[in-house]
Structures are given as structure tokens and as C-alpha cells.
Amino acid sequence: MATPDPLIRGIDRILIHTQDVERVFARFRHEFGLPVAWPLADCGLLVSGGLYTGSMTIEIGRFTGLGLPGTWFYGLGFAPWEPTLKMVEGLRSRKVPHAPPLTLHYDSPLVMQSTLTALRNLLDGQPSTAFWLGRPGGGNTRVGRALSSLRTWMAGTEVGSMTFSMLLGSSLVFICDNHSNPHQARINELRATWRETRRHGPYGITGVAGIDLEVSTSLAGWKRLLDRPDLNADSVHSFGKEPLLRFHPGEGNRLLGIEFACNDLLSVTQRLREQRSLISTDEKRVTLSPDRMDGLTIGFSQSPTTSLDKT
């Protein structure tokens, strides 16, 4: 049997949900010195801003009407190899449950358009049953296209956005097909500048080393999505570039945290120790105190590129 072409190009973004978007966005920008991928903007369903990390985006946002308190890693977005309709056919062939695609439009201050396809049964706290209603698989059919158009229209209206928010849970995994020329031009510009600068902010960040996930009952779904029948609860999945997707066994299925790669881990460790913001450390990585960043787990490890540069 022929091996199917992979669906996932890599990690596109991690979404942090918070009610205080403006403050948390400014805090991340200041604390880590990350460039702005797009400033805070409102698409109706979601108010968010993005910070670029070299190979992916940290999106900080708030869904309209979703009044859950606190700040947490809400969503994980993947970049597909193929456009949405073809990608959805790949999901169907792998029997990965998903919702009809939904397109979000941002008109100001930066024109952006992204089509999101939510994936089911990968994280706890996913949207309610009504969120997933539609013809099984959807896809490039008249019914599938009609459902996607209806969801897109609803997300762009005040009443529709409130309806979607009532269906949302506390987490979501999705595939994000970005197809806005101004947005892509901005990302290309940031990518070129990032490569020239090589290190960013007070921690000398060179990129994101990994995203950490706890898994208990969702491993079968991840195996199908990633075409990894050998995947287990201790696996590390590589997309051929950073960041890695790192699995950890546990009692639930949830996003645990993010780890930045930095150019000098020893100096970062010393800096955090002096600020009394360090909660754990070993030879390979250190972890920032969650109290410093609204309860979020954020770590640092030595960039392999800068390690080579030093030798």
C-alpha cells in the first residue's frame, strides 16, 4: 500500500486565550522582544494579535462572547501542504474527524484571510457537539461548500459570532490555510529580518524549539493526523524543522507549554535566577516561573545552531 502524502507542513501557530488581550499581548512583546506579525485586530469572531518567532506565530486573542476567565494555551494550529479543499479530502481518507472549514477575514489594520479547519478528539475541552454538525467529512461537495460558506458568514456577524462562542470549549486543534497576500508579504519580511538578526529580545531567542502536549486517550487521532502509526505517549514528532511536537503521557489531553530556543542558555539561566523567576533547571533547559506570565509554562533551551557557532 502506497504511503499517503503528508497533510501537515508544520506548526503555524499556538493560540493563547485571555480576556485581557491588550495587556497580555503587550507583556509578551516586551518580555520576549518578539516582532509583531500583525497588530491587534478584530475579525468579528476573534480579537487577536500575532507575534513572530522565526518559524511560527504566537497568537494572543479573545473569542467574542467566550467569557472563560484566565490565560491559557487554547489552540494549536497546523500549516497544511495543500489548499483547504484538497487537505480536507486527506482528512477524510485518514478518518480524522473535523468540522467544515471556516474563513476569517481581517480588514484592518492588516488585510488577512485564513481558513480554519477544526479537528476533533485531539484535546480535552473541545467545542460542543453542535459545533461539528454537518455532512460527515464535508469536503469539495456542494453541501460541504455550502456549510463552509454558512459558517464563514456567521463568523463575520455579531449574532453569528456570539452563537459560535457559545459552542466553543476550552481548547481546539485546527489546520490554518493562510491565503492573504499582504499577510504573507509581512511574514516573508519578518522571516528575512529574523534570519539576519539571528537572536531576539533580552533572552536571545532564536526560535521555538518545541510545543509540549499531554496525551492519554487521544493518541489514535494523532497517529492518523501525523501518519505516525509508531507514535506513542513519549514520542517527539519532527516536521523537518523546528518546532518539534513533543508528547508526554498524562491523565488528560492538553497543551502543556512552549519552549524557546536561545543563543546562550547559561546567561538566560543566570538572568532568571537573579530575577527569582526560575522554577526548574537542568543541563538542557530551564523553565520560567508561571507566575511571571499569567500562569503559562514557558521554557528555554540552547539553540543547536548557536552551539555549533561557538565550537
Side-chain angles (χ1 to χ4, degrees), residues 160-263:
S161 295
M162 293 295 292
T163 301
F164 265 104
S165 295
M166 289 188 292
L167 302 177
L168 292 173
S170 58
S171 69
L172 190 65
V173 178
F174 55 93
I175 296 178
C176 184
D177 184 9
N178 300 308
H179 38 84
S180 169
N181 290 334
H183 175 58
Q184 288 303 315
R186 172 64 177 161
I187 294 298
N188 291 338
E189 176 186 328
L190 289 171
R191 184 180 294 114
T193 303
W194 186 279
R195 289 171 178 171
E196 292 177 4
T197 306
R198 302 186 67 186
R199 63 187 71 173
H200 295 264
Y203 299 107
I205 291 173
T206 62
V208 174
I211 303 294
D212 293 294
L213 286 165
E214 179 183 83
V215 291
S216 61
T217 60
S218 64
L219 200 57
W222 288 107
K223 288 181 179 181
R224 291 193 295 270
L225 177 66
L226 301 174
D227 297 313
R228 283 285 307 275
D230 62 322
L231 197 74
N232 59 54
D234 293 301
S235 290
V236 175
H237 182 75
S238 172
F239 298 98
K241 60 178 181 179
E242 291 184 339
L244 300 171
L245 191 58
R246 305 186 301 209
F247 295 86
H248 305 271
E251 298 181 354
N253 307 282
R254 63 191 179 101
L255 285 165
L256 293 175
I258 185 172
E259 184 179 286
F260 290 113
C262 60
N263 72 304

Side-chain angles (χ1 to χ4, degrees), residues 43 120 245 269-270 290:
C43 73
R120 196 172 187 177
L245 191 58
T269 303
Q270 183 63 30

